[in-house]
mmCIF file of all heavy atoms in Angstrom:
data_model
loop_
_atom_site.group_PDB
_atom_site.id
_atom_site.type_symbol
_atom_site.label_atom_id
_atom_site.label_comp_id
_atom_site.label_asym_id
_atom_site.label_seq_id
_atom_site.Cartn_x
_atom_site.Cartn_y
_atom_site.Cartn_z
ATOM 1 N N LYS A 1 0.805 -1.328 0.073
ATOM 2 C CA LYS A 1 0.048 -0.004 -0.066
ATOM 3 C C LYS A 1 0.855 1.368 0.066
ATOM 4 O O LYS A 1 0.483 2.179 -0.837
ATOM 5 C CB LYS A 1 -0.889 -0.013 1.111
ATOM 6 C CG LYS A 1 -1.970 1.035 1.141
ATOM 7 C CD LYS A 1 -3.142 0.822 2.222
ATOM 8 C CE LYS A 1 -4.012 2.069 2.222
ATOM 9 N NZ LYS A 1 -5.135 2.063 3.228
ATOM 10 N N PRO A 2 1.899 1.390 0.794
ATOM 11 C CA PRO A 2 2.721 2.643 0.711
ATOM 12 C C PRO A 2 3.385 2.954 -0.629
ATOM 13 O O PRO A 2 3.663 4.076 -0.822
ATOM 14 C CB PRO A 2 3.761 2.220 1.844
ATOM 15 C CG PRO A 2 3.169 1.369 2.665
ATOM 16 C CD PRO A 2 2.396 0.443 1.699
ATOM 17 N N ALA A 3 3.530 1.963 -1.390
ATOM 18 C CA ALA A 3 4.256 2.202 -2.652
ATOM 19 C C ALA A 3 3.206 2.546 -3.833
ATOM 20 O O ALA A 3 3.610 3.019 -4.806
ATOM 21 C CB ALA A 3 5.023 0.959 -3.066
ATOM 22 N N ARG A 4 1.999 2.305 -3.614
ATOM 23 C CA ARG A 4 1.024 2.373 -4.737
ATOM 24 C C ARG A 4 0.931 3.710 -5.346
ATOM 25 O O ARG A 4 0.707 3.915 -6.623
ATOM 26 C CB ARG A 4 -0.425 1.898 -4.220
ATOM 27 C CG ARG A 4 -0.496 0.411 -4.000
ATOM 28 C CD ARG A 4 -1.810 0.026 -3.370
ATOM 29 N NE ARG A 4 -1.781 -1.271 -2.730
ATOM 30 C CZ ARG A 4 -2.678 -1.846 -1.938
ATOM 31 N NH1 ARG A 4 -3.723 -1.015 -1.642
ATOM 32 N NH2 ARG A 4 -2.547 -3.086 -1.440
ATOM 33 N N GLU A 5 1.003 4.813 -4.597
ATOM 34 C CA GLU A 5 0.900 6.172 -5.048
ATOM 35 C C GLU A 5 2.197 6.363 -5.977
ATOM 36 O O GLU A 5 2.097 7.405 -6.740
ATOM 37 C CB GLU A 5 0.802 7.165 -3.941
ATOM 38 C CG GLU A 5 2.103 7.254 -3.073
ATOM 39 C CD GLU A 5 1.907 8.262 -2.159
ATOM 40 O OE1 GLU A 5 1.831 9.501 -2.326
ATOM 41 O OE2 GLU A 5 1.815 7.861 -0.838
ATOM 42 N N HIS A 6 3.286 5.717 -5.943
ATOM 43 C CA HIS A 6 4.416 5.969 -6.677
ATOM 44 C C HIS A 6 4.559 5.148 -7.931
ATOM 45 O O HIS A 6 5.341 5.438 -8.895
ATOM 46 C CB HIS A 6 5.737 5.744 -5.856
ATOM 47 C CG HIS A 6 5.806 6.455 -4.542
ATOM 48 N ND1 HIS A 6 5.900 7.880 -4.427
ATOM 49 C CD2 HIS A 6 5.451 6.090 -3.156
ATOM 50 C CE1 HIS A 6 5.983 8.194 -3.217
ATOM 51 N NE2 HIS A 6 5.612 7.155 -2.419
ATOM 52 N N VAL A 7 3.818 4.041 -8.026
ATOM 53 C CA VAL A 7 3.960 3.121 -8.999
ATOM 54 C C VAL A 7 3.085 3.558 -10.144
ATOM 55 O O VAL A 7 1.930 3.874 -10.066
ATOM 56 C CB VAL A 7 3.611 1.738 -8.598
ATOM 57 C CG1 VAL A 7 3.586 0.644 -9.752
ATOM 58 C CG2 VAL A 7 4.557 1.246 -7.566
ATOM 59 N N LEU A 8 3.675 3.418 -11.447
ATOM 60 C CA LEU A 8 3.042 3.765 -12.637
ATOM 61 C C LEU A 8 2.814 2.394 -13.418
ATOM 62 O O LEU A 8 3.513 1.316 -13.081
ATOM 63 C CB LEU A 8 3.750 4.620 -13.486
ATOM 64 C CG LEU A 8 4.067 5.899 -12.920
ATOM 65 C CD1 LEU A 8 5.055 6.843 -13.969
ATOM 66 C CD2 LEU A 8 2.950 6.748 -12.584
ATOM 67 N N GLN A 9 1.887 2.361 -14.424
ATOM 68 C CA GLN A 9 1.602 1.137 -15.073
ATOM 69 C C GLN A 9 1.475 1.442 -16.593
ATOM 70 O O GLN A 9 1.213 2.605 -17.027
ATOM 71 C CB GLN A 9 0.381 0.515 -14.642
ATOM 72 C CG GLN A 9 -1.018 1.348 -14.919
ATOM 73 C CD GLN A 9 -2.200 0.774 -14.495
ATOM 74 O OE1 GLN A 9 -2.361 0.201 -13.430
ATOM 75 N NE2 GLN A 9 -3.323 0.760 -15.363
ATOM 76 N N LEU A 10 1.832 0.428 -17.399
ATOM 77 C CA LEU A 10 1.759 0.513 -18.833
ATOM 78 C C LEU A 10 1.413 -0.877 -19.468
ATOM 79 O O LEU A 10 2.147 -1.832 -19.154
ATOM 80 C CB LEU A 10 3.069 1.043 -19.517
ATOM 81 C CG LEU A 10 3.022 1.132 -20.925
ATOM 82 C CD1 LEU A 10 2.034 2.212 -21.490
ATOM 83 C CD2 LEU A 10 4.562 1.533 -21.540
ATOM 84 N N ASP A 11 0.474 -0.981 -20.178
ATOM 85 C CA ASP A 11 0.071 -2.257 -20.955
ATOM 86 C C ASP A 11 0.939 -2.371 -22.160
ATOM 87 O O ASP A 11 0.818 -1.651 -23.134
ATOM 88 C CB ASP A 11 -1.360 -2.195 -21.296
ATOM 89 C CG ASP A 11 -1.727 -3.515 -21.992
ATOM 90 O OD1 ASP A 11 -0.971 -4.474 -22.261
ATOM 91 O OD2 ASP A 11 -2.997 -3.680 -22.349
ATOM 92 N N LEU A 12 1.974 -3.200 -22.030
ATOM 93 C CA LEU A 12 2.876 -3.450 -23.203
ATOM 94 C C LEU A 12 2.151 -3.864 -24.339
ATOM 95 O O LEU A 12 2.549 -3.510 -25.574
ATOM 96 C CB LEU A 12 4.040 -4.345 -22.817
ATOM 97 C CG LEU A 12 5.000 -3.911 -21.720
ATOM 98 C CD1 LEU A 12 6.157 -4.943 -21.556
ATOM 99 C CD2 LEU A 12 5.540 -2.603 -21.993
ATOM 100 N N GLY A 13 1.042 -4.653 -24.301
ATOM 101 C CA GLY A 13 0.359 -5.028 -25.470
ATOM 102 C C GLY A 13 -0.333 -3.959 -26.244
ATOM 103 O O GLY A 13 -0.406 -3.948 -27.476
ATOM 104 N N SER A 14 -0.687 -2.936 -25.490
ATOM 105 C CA SER A 14 -1.370 -1.735 -26.087
ATOM 106 C C SER A 14 -0.402 -0.982 -26.943
ATOM 107 O O SER A 14 -0.795 -0.106 -27.810
ATOM 108 C CB SER A 14 -2.023 -0.698 -25.087
ATOM 109 O OG SER A 14 -0.990 -0.125 -24.190
ATOM 110 N N VAL A 15 0.926 -1.210 -26.779
ATOM 111 C CA VAL A 15 1.982 -0.380 -27.551
ATOM 112 C C VAL A 15 2.683 -1.355 -28.531
ATOM 113 O O VAL A 15 3.732 -1.122 -29.134
ATOM 114 C CB VAL A 15 3.015 0.371 -26.678
ATOM 115 C CG1 VAL A 15 2.308 1.336 -25.930
ATOM 116 C CG2 VAL A 15 3.748 -0.679 -25.761
ATOM 117 N N GLY A 16 2.166 -2.579 -28.750
ATOM 118 C CA GLY A 16 2.651 -3.474 -29.678
ATOM 119 C C GLY A 16 3.778 -4.389 -29.319
ATOM 120 O O GLY A 16 4.325 -4.998 -30.091
ATOM 121 N N ILE A 17 4.020 -4.468 -28.058
ATOM 122 C CA ILE A 17 4.996 -5.349 -27.488
ATOM 123 C C ILE A 17 4.342 -6.734 -27.097
ATOM 124 O O ILE A 17 3.707 -6.659 -26.104
ATOM 125 C CB ILE A 17 5.810 -4.792 -26.405
ATOM 126 C CG1 ILE A 17 6.562 -3.536 -26.915
ATOM 127 C CG2 ILE A 17 6.891 -5.754 -25.753
ATOM 128 C CD1 ILE A 17 7.277 -2.696 -25.932
ATOM 129 N N THR A 18 4.625 -7.797 -27.708
ATOM 130 C CA THR A 18 4.083 -9.012 -27.368
ATOM 131 C C THR A 18 5.042 -9.968 -26.847
ATOM 132 O O THR A 18 4.751 -11.002 -26.329
ATOM 133 C CB THR A 18 3.340 -9.631 -28.609
ATOM 134 O OG1 THR A 18 4.243 -9.662 -29.784
ATOM 135 C CG2 THR A 18 2.232 -8.624 -28.920
ATOM 136 N N ASP A 19 6.466 -9.936 -27.218
ATOM 137 C CA ASP A 19 7.424 -10.729 -26.744
ATOM 138 C C ASP A 19 7.882 -10.286 -25.382
ATOM 139 O O ASP A 19 8.663 -9.418 -25.321
ATOM 140 C CB ASP A 19 8.646 -10.809 -27.657
ATOM 141 C CG ASP A 19 9.659 -11.769 -27.422
ATOM 142 O OD1 ASP A 19 9.622 -12.356 -26.282
ATOM 143 O OD2 ASP A 19 10.718 -11.902 -28.092
ATOM 144 N N LEU A 20 7.401 -10.951 -24.463
ATOM 145 C CA LEU A 20 7.575 -10.464 -22.998
ATOM 146 C C LEU A 20 8.770 -11.201 -22.337
ATOM 147 O O LEU A 20 9.055 -11.038 -21.181
ATOM 148 C CB LEU A 20 6.349 -10.765 -22.243
ATOM 149 C CG LEU A 20 5.041 -10.152 -22.771
ATOM 150 C CD1 LEU A 20 3.837 -10.402 -21.699
ATOM 151 C CD2 LEU A 20 5.232 -8.528 -22.898
ATOM 152 N N GLY A 21 9.517 -12.074 -23.113
ATOM 153 C CA GLY A 21 10.768 -12.648 -22.603
ATOM 154 C C GLY A 21 10.581 -13.805 -21.902
ATOM 155 O O GLY A 21 9.417 -14.251 -21.447
ATOM 156 N N THR A 22 11.597 -14.591 -21.620
ATOM 157 C CA THR A 22 11.742 -15.734 -20.761
ATOM 158 C C THR A 22 12.851 -15.701 -19.733
ATOM 159 O O THR A 22 13.940 -15.325 -20.148
ATOM 160 C CB THR A 22 11.837 -17.022 -21.616
ATOM 161 O OG1 THR A 22 10.824 -17.025 -22.705
ATOM 162 C CG2 THR A 22 11.684 -18.237 -20.889
ATOM 163 N N PHE A 23 12.537 -16.057 -18.616
ATOM 164 C CA PHE A 23 13.598 -16.223 -17.540
ATOM 165 C C PHE A 23 14.325 -17.676 -17.745
ATOM 166 O O PHE A 23 13.563 -18.696 -17.654
ATOM 167 C CB PHE A 23 13.053 -16.131 -16.129
ATOM 168 C CG PHE A 23 12.586 -14.794 -15.760
ATOM 169 C CD1 PHE A 23 11.220 -14.467 -15.734
ATOM 170 C CD2 PHE A 23 13.451 -13.780 -15.561
ATOM 171 C CE1 PHE A 23 10.904 -13.151 -15.310
ATOM 172 C CE2 PHE A 23 13.089 -12.472 -15.242
ATOM 173 C CZ PHE A 23 11.760 -12.217 -15.115
ATOM 174 N N HIS A 24 15.586 -17.627 -17.980
ATOM 175 C CA HIS A 24 16.260 -18.841 -18.207
ATOM 176 C C HIS A 24 17.281 -19.011 -16.982
ATOM 177 O O HIS A 24 17.814 -18.083 -16.480
ATOM 178 C CB HIS A 24 17.282 -18.841 -19.481
ATOM 179 C CG HIS A 24 16.366 -18.592 -20.720
ATOM 180 N ND1 HIS A 24 15.677 -19.650 -21.331
ATOM 181 C CD2 HIS A 24 16.123 -17.576 -21.543
ATOM 182 C CE1 HIS A 24 15.130 -19.410 -22.478
ATOM 183 N NE2 HIS A 24 15.393 -17.937 -22.603
ATOM 184 N N PRO A 25 17.539 -20.303 -16.591
ATOM 185 C CA PRO A 25 18.538 -20.443 -15.627
ATOM 186 C C PRO A 25 19.931 -19.957 -16.125
ATOM 187 O O PRO A 25 20.257 -20.221 -17.271
ATOM 188 C CB PRO A 25 18.558 -21.974 -15.487
ATOM 189 C CG PRO A 25 17.233 -22.424 -15.962
ATOM 190 C CD PRO A 25 16.944 -21.606 -17.036
#
């Protein structure tokens, strides 16, 4: 809750970014 007023959001799909990557060991 204390962080919510500072956090921004952006839908990457709305700007055409669909390759969201993969975490590999």
